[in-house]
Amino acid sequence: MGQSAEFGKFLKAMRARMSPEDAGLPDASGARRVPGLRREEIARLADVSTDYYTRLEQGRHIHPSRAVLESVSRALRLDSSEHSHMMDLLEHCASSAKAPTPTPRVRPALRQLLDAVGDVPALLLGRRSDVLGANRMAVLLFADFPAMPPAERNLTRWLILDPNARELFRDWKTVAAEAAGSLRADTGRHPDDPQANQLVGELAVNSEHFRQWWAGHRVAARSAGTVRLHHPTVGDVELNFENLALPEDPDQVLRVYSAKAGSPSDDALKLLGSFGAGTAFGAGPTFGAGAVTGPELSERHAMDES
């Protein structure tokens, strides 16, 4: 019942976060024994029987119609990301056999593209937000992902566990929570991924914040947004990012960061790039220490294909 059980847990978590006011219901007299709405209240809002909705939350092997799922989604006030995750949990049911995760392949054309956008930070991200490639500016701004052991080349892991990331992102808690929500969405699409399970376990052991986010079944899937950074070398930087889908590689996205032309953040990026124009960036414990540039980075930034 693996994935069916996850489906039920997700519904329960979404119900627990709702209040009578959220659902437009009169607040019943007396204290509620559990947080959120009652099962019968959600069932009434979704126009299904309480028994049927209870079986959904219990993860029983039933086959709800799309109309019922749409109705439950509306009753729970799910946003588009949460709705997609709910559908994934039903569609991609876990099997008993654990199929090995294929090794991601980075096409030569993508390596060339990372080099071509060399004036702005760019990351090539795979499943679980694994960092498959990083150009020179991404290494200078964030971290030297190519120098990390392969098991640690993961954006979510770095964001949540590395103290440098916590200091770099001015809205760290928001950014890290969204990364955890994106990982939650990925596990819904790929429930049999042992690497994802290992990553979730490591984060849960080492981060109280992650444990809370994961227990709340938070889901996030943003394709664009803004990040505010405080870099120890160039100061405050505000960047927009876009996740560019790659039709030839559906499990990979190219994330490109940019600043408004002529803005202080644009000037800061140019200054950062000039600091990285030599053979190395930084010394000692500074953020980005050990990041390499030039031909050495060009050979390293896309990681190994196998």
Side-chain angles (χ1 to χ4, degrees):
M1 288 182 60
Q3 199 69 349
S4 297
E6 283 300 311
F7 174 76
K9 291 176 183 177
F10 175 72
L11 294 186
K12 186 175 181 179
M14 296 300 99
R15 175 170 62 86
R17 72 179 182 177
M18 295 185 66
S19 68
E21 293 77 14
D22 293 334
L25 297 173
D27 194 3
S29 59
R32 291 173 176 257
R33 291 179 298 175
V34 294
L37 296 185
R38 302 183 179 95
R39 285 174 174 171
E40 58 266 26
E41 290 171 326
I42 292 295
R44 186 162 64 251
L45 289 170
D47 197 25
V48 297
S49 71
T50 300
D51 177 69
Y52 188 87
Y53 180 78
T54 299
R55 284 185 286 154
L56 283 177
E57 271 200 12
Q58 290 175 345
R60 300 186 193 178
H61 287 287
I62 58 178
H63 304 283
S65 67
R66 179 165 292 274
V68 166
L69 292 172
E70 295 288 346
S71 185
V72 169
S73 179
R74 287 193 298 270
L76 292 171
R77 301 289 182 92
L78 302 186
D79 62 24
S80 58
S81 296
E82 292 162 346
H83 177 81
S84 296
H85 182 62
M86 179 185 71
M87 302 301 291
D88 285 337
L89 290 175
L90 279 183
E91 180 179 355
H92 304 291
C93 291
S95 63
S96 57
K98 300 294 183 182
T101 304
T103 301
R105 310 292 294 185
V106 179
R107 291 184 290 114
L110 290 178
R111 297 186 181 192
Q112 297 170 15
L113 185 57
L114 279 172
D115 283 329
V117 293
D119 292 337
V120 295
L123 296 169
L124 180 63
L125 303 176
R127 289 257 302 273
R128 307 166 297 272
S129 76
D130 285 348
V131 179
L132 305 179
N135 70 357
R136 181 180 69 91
M137 286 299 295
V139 169
L140 294 170
L141 183 64
F142 298 122
D144 192 357
F145 291 106
M148 297 177 184
E152 297 180 11
R153 295 173 188 164
N154 180 274
L155 187 62
T156 301
R157 183 188 186 280
W158 173 74
L159 276 168
I160 294 177
L161 298 185
D162 194 315
N164 285 323
R166 188 184 289 250
E167 295 182 8
L168 177 66
F169 285 86
R170 293 160 62 189
D171 305 304
W172 175 83
K173 188 174 288 187
T174 298
V175 173
E178 287 184 350
S182 179
L183 180 59
R184 168 70 75 176
D186 188 88
T187 60
R189 291 187 295 271
H190 306 284
D192 287 331
D193 186 349
Q195 290 175 260
N197 293 335
Q198 182 177 355
L199 176 61
V200 169
E202 181 185 12
L203 293 172
V205 167
N206 292 287
S207 171
E208 173 63 26
H209 286 296
F210 180 82
R211 288 195 294 272
Q212 294 176 3
W213 296 327
W214 199 255
H217 288 256
R218 180 191 175 103
V219 180
R222 284 207 300 166
S223 59
T226 302
V227 292
R228 302 190 311 146
L229 312 173
H230 181 77
H231 194 278
T233 302
V234 297
D236 290 343
V237 185
E238 184 170 315
L239 301 175
N240 299 318
F241 71 85
E242 295 282 343
N243 286 344
L244 306 179
L246 304 171
E248 293 294 322
D249 305 281
D251 283 333
Q252 299 178 16
V253 298
L254 181 66
R255 177 174 294 184
V256 180
Y257 296 82
S258 63
K260 183 179 179 181
S263 67
S265 295
D266 187 31
D267 293 338
L269 277 186
K270 292 175 181 176
L271 181 61
L272 182 63
S274 70
F275 286 144
T279 57
F281 172 66
T286 356
F287 186 85
V292 295
T293 60
E296 184 181 357
L297 180 62
S298 297
E299 293 177 4
R300 290 173 54 196
H301 78 263
M303 320 307 187
D304 297 333
E305 285 196 48
S306 59

